Amino acid sequence: MTEGSQLIRGLEGVVAAETRLCDLDGAHGRLAYGGYDIDELARRASFEEVAHLLWYGELPKPAQLDQLVIGLTAARELPGPVVDAFRLMPADTDPMRALQAAVALLGMFDPDATDNGHAANLRKAVRLTSQIASAICAHHRVRQGQEPVRPAAGLSHAANFLYMLTGERPGAAAVKAFDASLTLYAEHELNASTFTTRTIVSTQSDMHSAVAGGVGALKGPLHGGAGEAVMRTLMEIGEPAAVESFAARAIAEKRRLMGFGHRVYRAGDPRAAILRGMAEEACRQSKQFKWFEMAVGLHERINKAKGLIPNVDFYSAPLFYSLGIPVDLFTPVIAAGRIAGWAANVIEQHDDNRLIRPRAEYVGPGRREFVAVEKR
Ligand code: ACO
């Protein structure tokens, strides 16, 4: 790197793209997609409406929504070889690894795979959104030695996901909570996985390649993997009465607590506040209130001691658990929501592209003389 360079570790605060998708106000703890407040979208819009907003820039009119639903429903069946591939994977394959492989495979069967044009990208956004949901559920069934559940026409995206996961029709409250969760996870500006997708397509690579990369980035515990870690922490604590001693130990040991902290939000993550209400309700309904109680206890104790805020992955953990989602599917579920945003970012990047290629500050040895191997 040339003289006078400025290293910004982790690209903190660097503005690397223009976007019309998501307005993230970290100082005030506010978030909006396409101008609509996240709280209102989570309460009043379906995930399908939110996907339309992200992909087309506007909430759909009834006929547009019908058309999108038809497209999503038509794309739910997976190509046979993708399910066959799940059968070939070791039974203990991590679901995120299986999902990443599935996305790469889906690219081999997609008629628009190599077309980066706007219209083709919109078609792929629809297909991938449906297929990712189907792939998560099919892999889960296959790894348990069961047949995948065929998608059910007439069910919303959220309802069909829960149906394909369990084979049982979910209740209205579970569907609403799950649908709102997908919306809350749908988009979040230049988070690590979305930045990854943008970087990949900035080389004029394609949506499937980008999304496979996004899945890989999301998997890490500092990103989407945090939710699973939160649930494992709550399980380790075990009972509400044990929160205090756990927190005291974690603070003394300076442990990094998953589900706390955020690079951008300083005044609280608005998604966490919404998820907290949903988790309370779902834990009460499922008679597993202790998970919510423990989460609140930990939140308050850690916030008081360290000033750390809970992020989106904190209250989604007791929520997902009480909805019956297996713990190692928490991160794939986030991918099932985030695909809407990944695809929207890919479209934005392709439509107005410049190669993303930052610099690194060289800190290795100065120039030195080469010595032939036999003389070293
Ligand atoms: N537990 C304990 N301490 C923390 C935490 C935490 N979860 N988060 C930040 N800190 C402390 C750090 O120890 C550090 O303290 P120091 O300055 O005394 O060393 C300080 O806060 C700053 O931490 P950084 O890691 O530099 O902050 P950064 O902005 O890079 O990190 C991150 C953001 C990665 C999210 C961090 O807060 C973290 O690791 N959280 C836990 C993982 C997590 O929940 N990730 C999900 C994020 S949301 C999402 O991706 C969907």
Side-chain angles (χ1 to χ4, degrees), residues 23 44 149 208 335 369-370 372:
D23 181 12
R44 299 180 59 191
V149 176
H208 286 85
E369 212 170 304
F370 180 81

Side-chain angles (χ1 to χ4, degrees), residues 271-284:
R271 302 166 300 174
I274 301 166
L275 284 159
R276 177 179 169 151
M278 286 161 47
E280 180 173 11
E281 186 57 27
C283 289
R284 199 190 309 281

Side-chain angles (χ1 to χ4, degrees), residues 69-139:
V69 168
I70 288 169
L72 286 165
T73 306
R76 283 175 179 168
E77 291 277 0
L78 292 171
V82 175
V83 180
D84 291 343
F86 292 149
R87 295 196 172 98
L88 293 172
M89 291 176 188
D92 62 352
T93 298
D94 178 272
M96 283 298 275
R97 211 177 280 291
L99 180 61
Q100 191 179 37
V103 171
L105 270 173
L106 286 165
M108 300 172 203
F109 294 94
D110 195 298
D112 293 314
T114 56
D115 185 344
N116 295 335
H118 189 85
N121 273 343
L122 283 170
R123 291 194 292 273
K124 287 186 279 190
V126 171
R127 280 198 287 273
L128 264 172
T129 299
S130 274
Q131 290 168 332
I132 279 182
S134 299
I136 294 164
C137 297
H139 173 254

Side-chain angles (χ1 to χ4, degrees), residues 12 185 191 218 221-224 226 254-264 266 269 271 306 308 311-313 334 338:
E12 179 163 0
Y185 275 113
N191 58 87
L218 186 71
L222 296 190
H223 193 8
K254 296 191 179 346
R255 265 169 77 166
R256 185 157 290 239
L257 284 150
M258 296 298 138
F260 285 97
H262 199 275
R263 174 63 68 80
V264 183
R266 294 296 169 225
D269 183 334
R271 302 166 300 174
K306 295 182 74 88
L308 287 168
N311 59 49
V312 66
D313 292 333
I334 297 172
R338 186 57 57 84

Side-chain angles (χ1 to χ4, degrees), residues 285-362:
Q285 290 288 331
S286 66
K287 304 201 175 358
Q288 303 184 76
F289 202 66
K290 75 170 189 172
W291 303 116
F292 179 73
E293 252 182 292
M294 272 190 272
V296 171
L298 192 61
H299 166 182
E300 287 171 357
R301 183 69 170 82
I302 296 299
N303 183 259
K304 200 165 158 208
K306 295 182 74 88
L308 287 168
I309 54 142
N311 59 49
V312 66
D313 292 333
F314 189 71
Y315 284 107
S316 65
L319 170 66
F320 289 165
Y321 193 76
S322 66
L323 291 178
I325 295 167
V327 178
D328 66 356
L329 292 193
F330 287 10
T331 320
V333 161
I334 297 172
R338 186 57 57 84
I339 178 57
W342 286 335
N345 275 272
V346 164
I347 292 168
E348 256 194 356
Q349 186 71 35
H350 270 151
D351 286 355
D352 183 19
N353 186 47
R354 186 152 194 245
L355 178 72
I356 296 173
R357 201 296 186 195
R359 295 296 314 272
E361 181 134 358
Y362 178 68

